[in-house]
Amino acid sequence: MTIKKIKEELNSADSPVAKSLHHGTGFKVLMMGFKKGMILIEHKAHVKSKLTVLEGAVIYKEESRVVELGQYDEVEIPVEITQSVEAIEDSLCILSQGAS
C-alpha cells in the first residue's frame, strides 16, 4: 500500500513524497515519488545510502558529479556530501540507508 499512497499523494503534492517501506536496527528503506520537475533539495546523507530508480528518470547531483538515472539504475550516495535529486520524468525510487 505504500507505493499506492505515494502515487495518490503526488496528485496534489508540490514536492517529492517519501514514506518508510521498511526499517530496523541500523537501516531503513524509503520509497520516494516525484512528479516531473520536482527537486529533492540539497542535503547530506549521514549514513551510507543507495538510490535506485524503479520508474521514470532522475538526475542525481552532488558536489563533484552529475548522474542521470533511468529505470533500474542505481547510485551509491556518499556520507556527508551535499547532494540533490531532480525528476526528469514522473518517478518512483527506493532509497536504502544504513548497514550493508
Side-chain angles (χ1 to χ4, degrees):
M1 296 299 209
T2 304
I3 294 171
K4 286 182 182 180
K5 286 181 182 178
I6 288 172
K7 288 191 171 192
E8 286 173 10
E9 287 184 26
L10 275 174
N11 289 326
S12 60
D14 295 325
S15 59
V17 176
K19 297 202 176 293
S20 176
L21 185 65
H22 187 63
H23 65 277
T25 304
F27 79 94
K28 64 181 167 180
V29 179
L30 301 172
M31 294 298 304
M32 300 175 60
F34 297 82
K35 287 192 289 190
K36 181 179 179 176
M38 284 185 170
I39 297 173
L40 181 61
I41 61 171
E42 287 188 343
H43 62 284
K44 291 183 180 182
H46 303 295
V47 296
K48 187 175 177 181
S49 303
K50 180 186 279 188
L51 180 70
T52 305
V53 178
L54 294 182
E55 295 177 1
V58 301
I59 297 174
Y60 168 81
K61 300 177 185 177
E62 63 182 43
E63 295 171 357
S64 60
R65 68 178 172 151
V66 175
V67 182
E68 187 171 324
L69 303 167
Q71 188 174 35
Y72 309 133
D73 290 337
E74 58 191 43
V75 65
E76 296 280 341
I77 299 173
V79 176
E80 301 302 331
I81 298 294
T82 301
Q83 42 100 5
S84 66
V85 178
E86 179 177 355
I88 52 179
E89 297 177 12
D90 291 354
S91 301
L92 185 65
C93 302
I94 293 179
L95 180 67
S96 54
Q97 298 180 311
S100 52

